[in-house]
Amino acid sequence: MAWTIARALIYGLIGFICLPIITALLVLILGYLFDPRCGTPGDSGGCEMGAATIGVAAAFPGLAIGVALALLQEWRKRRRQKQGGPV
């Protein structure tokens, strides 16, 4: 049980760190591709601040997704053991 909690925390921290980075980069890439004003002096950093806001907003969902993945893996592992399948 302790390993399950530790694994859930590790996966949660990975999600907490990785999902905001991925979403911020995706927002920047899409912003620069579809908005010709991004990166110009008249933009005043609007595209970059939008990416930062989306990144910060994605932190806790990333944590929840990571914990959910760890718990789902543990549940599937226990179900296979109960059915007598390979571990």
Side-chain angles (χ1 to χ4, degrees):
M1 185 65 157
W3 174 243
T4 302
I5 294 171
R7 189 169 166 191
L9 287 174
I10 291 168
Y11 276 48
L13 287 175
I14 291 171
F16 189 80
I17 293 169
C18 292
L19 189 64
I21 293 170
I22 292 168
T23 55
L25 289 175
L26 184 64
V27 167
L28 278 176
I29 290 169
L30 292 175
Y32 277 92
L33 282 176
F34 293 114
D35 190 0
R37 292 176 293 153
C38 281
T40 62
D43 179 40
S44 300
C47 295
E48 289 78 10
M49 285 307 298
T53 303
I54 295 292
V56 169
F60 286 112
L63 176 75
I65 290 169
V67 169
L69 283 175
L71 294 177
L72 179 67
Q73 285 180 346
E74 184 65 27
W75 176 74
R76 291 182 70 200
K77 180 180 158 187
R78 289 179 190 236
R79 197 173 97 197
R80 279 185 295 199
Q81 287 175 347
K82 192 180 215 183
Q83 294 175 352
V87 177

